[in-house]
Short mmCIF file of all heavy atoms in Angstrom, two decimals:
data_model
loop_
_atom_site.label_atom_id
_atom_site.label_comp_id
_atom_site.label_asym_id
_atom_site.label_seq_id
_atom_site.Cartn_x
_atom_site.Cartn_y
_atom_site.Cartn_z
N PHE J 205 -66.18 -128.55 -65.03
CA PHE J 205 -65.78 -129.24 -63.80
C PHE J 205 -64.72 -128.46 -63.03
O PHE J 205 -64.88 -128.17 -61.85
CB PHE J 205 -65.26 -130.64 -64.15
CG PHE J 205 -64.85 -131.44 -62.96
CD1 PHE J 205 -65.80 -131.97 -62.10
CD2 PHE J 205 -63.51 -131.64 -62.68
CE1 PHE J 205 -65.42 -132.70 -60.98
CE2 PHE J 205 -63.11 -132.36 -61.57
CZ PHE J 205 -64.07 -132.90 -60.72
N PHE J 206 -63.64 -128.09 -63.71
CA PHE J 206 -62.53 -127.45 -63.01
C PHE J 206 -62.84 -126.01 -62.62
O PHE J 206 -62.45 -125.56 -61.55
CB PHE J 206 -61.26 -127.52 -63.86
CG PHE J 206 -60.69 -128.90 -63.94
CD1 PHE J 206 -60.76 -129.64 -65.11
CD2 PHE J 206 -60.11 -129.49 -62.83
CE1 PHE J 206 -60.26 -130.91 -65.17
CE2 PHE J 206 -59.59 -130.77 -62.89
CZ PHE J 206 -59.67 -131.49 -64.07
N ASP J 207 -63.57 -125.28 -63.47
CA ASP J 207 -63.94 -123.92 -63.09
C ASP J 207 -64.92 -123.94 -61.93
O ASP J 207 -64.88 -123.09 -61.04
CB ASP J 207 -64.55 -123.19 -64.28
CG ASP J 207 -64.66 -121.69 -64.01
OD1 ASP J 207 -63.60 -121.04 -63.86
OD2 ASP J 207 -65.79 -121.20 -63.92
N GLY J 208 -65.80 -124.92 -61.93
CA GLY J 208 -66.73 -125.05 -60.81
C GLY J 208 -66.02 -125.36 -59.52
O GLY J 208 -66.32 -124.79 -58.47
N LEU J 209 -65.01 -126.25 -59.58
CA LEU J 209 -64.24 -126.56 -58.37
C LEU J 209 -63.50 -125.32 -57.87
O LEU J 209 -63.41 -125.07 -56.66
CB LEU J 209 -63.24 -127.67 -58.66
CG LEU J 209 -63.80 -129.09 -58.79
CD1 LEU J 209 -62.67 -130.06 -59.09
CD2 LEU J 209 -64.54 -129.50 -57.52
N LYS J 210 -62.96 -124.55 -58.80
CA LYS J 210 -62.25 -123.33 -58.42
C LYS J 210 -63.17 -122.37 -57.69
O LYS J 210 -62.82 -121.82 -56.64
CB LYS J 210 -61.66 -122.66 -59.66
CG LYS J 210 -60.94 -121.35 -59.34
CD LYS J 210 -60.43 -120.70 -60.62
CE LYS J 210 -59.77 -119.36 -60.30
NZ LYS J 210 -59.30 -118.67 -61.53
N ARG J 211 -64.38 -122.18 -58.25
CA ARG J 211 -65.32 -121.26 -57.62
C ARG J 211 -65.75 -121.78 -56.25
O ARG J 211 -65.84 -121.04 -55.28
CB ARG J 211 -66.53 -121.06 -58.53
CG ARG J 211 -67.58 -120.12 -57.96
CD ARG J 211 -67.02 -118.74 -57.71
NE ARG J 211 -66.52 -118.14 -58.94
CZ ARG J 211 -65.88 -116.99 -59.00
NH1 ARG J 211 -65.62 -116.35 -57.89
NH2 ARG J 211 -65.45 -116.52 -60.15
N GLU J 212 -66.03 -123.08 -56.19
CA GLU J 212 -66.41 -123.66 -54.91
C GLU J 212 -65.28 -123.53 -53.89
O GLU J 212 -65.52 -123.30 -52.70
CB GLU J 212 -66.78 -125.13 -55.09
CG GLU J 212 -68.12 -125.34 -55.80
CD GLU J 212 -68.45 -126.80 -55.98
OE1 GLU J 212 -67.56 -127.63 -55.71
OE2 GLU J 212 -69.57 -127.10 -56.38
N GLY J 213 -64.04 -123.66 -54.34
CA GLY J 213 -62.90 -123.50 -53.45
C GLY J 213 -62.80 -122.08 -52.93
O GLY J 213 -62.47 -121.86 -51.75
N GLU J 214 -63.07 -121.11 -53.79
CA GLU J 214 -63.01 -119.71 -53.36
C GLU J 214 -64.09 -119.43 -52.32
O GLU J 214 -63.86 -118.71 -51.34
CB GLU J 214 -63.16 -118.79 -54.57
CG GLU J 214 -61.96 -118.82 -55.51
CD GLU J 214 -62.21 -118.03 -56.77
OE1 GLU J 214 -63.36 -117.62 -57.01
OE2 GLU J 214 -61.24 -117.82 -57.53
N ILE J 215 -65.27 -120.00 -52.55
CA ILE J 215 -66.36 -119.81 -51.59
C ILE J 215 -66.02 -120.48 -50.26
O ILE J 215 -66.24 -119.92 -49.18
CB ILE J 215 -67.69 -120.36 -52.16
CG1 ILE J 215 -68.14 -119.50 -53.35
CG2 ILE J 215 -68.77 -120.38 -51.08
CD1 ILE J 215 -69.36 -120.03 -54.06
N ALA J 216 -65.46 -121.69 -50.35
CA ALA J 216 -65.09 -122.41 -49.13
C ALA J 216 -64.02 -121.63 -48.35
O ALA J 216 -64.06 -121.55 -47.11
CB ALA J 216 -64.59 -123.81 -49.47
N GLN J 217 -63.06 -121.05 -49.07
CA GLN J 217 -62.01 -120.27 -48.42
C GLN J 217 -62.59 -119.02 -47.76
O GLN J 217 -62.22 -118.66 -46.63
CB GLN J 217 -60.93 -119.87 -49.43
CG GLN J 217 -59.75 -119.12 -48.81
CD GLN J 217 -59.02 -119.95 -47.78
OE1 GLN J 217 -58.60 -121.07 -48.06
NE2 GLN J 217 -58.87 -119.43 -46.57
N ALA J 218 -63.52 -118.37 -48.46
CA ALA J 218 -64.17 -117.18 -47.90
C ALA J 218 -64.96 -117.53 -46.64
O ALA J 218 -64.95 -116.78 -45.66
CB ALA J 218 -65.09 -116.54 -48.94
#
Side-chain angles (χ1 to χ4, degrees):
F205 181 73
F206 288 109
D207 193 65
L209 286 179
K210 178 182 177 182
R211 180 60 60 185
E212 288 179 351
E214 291 173 350
I215 293 174
Q217 184 61 53

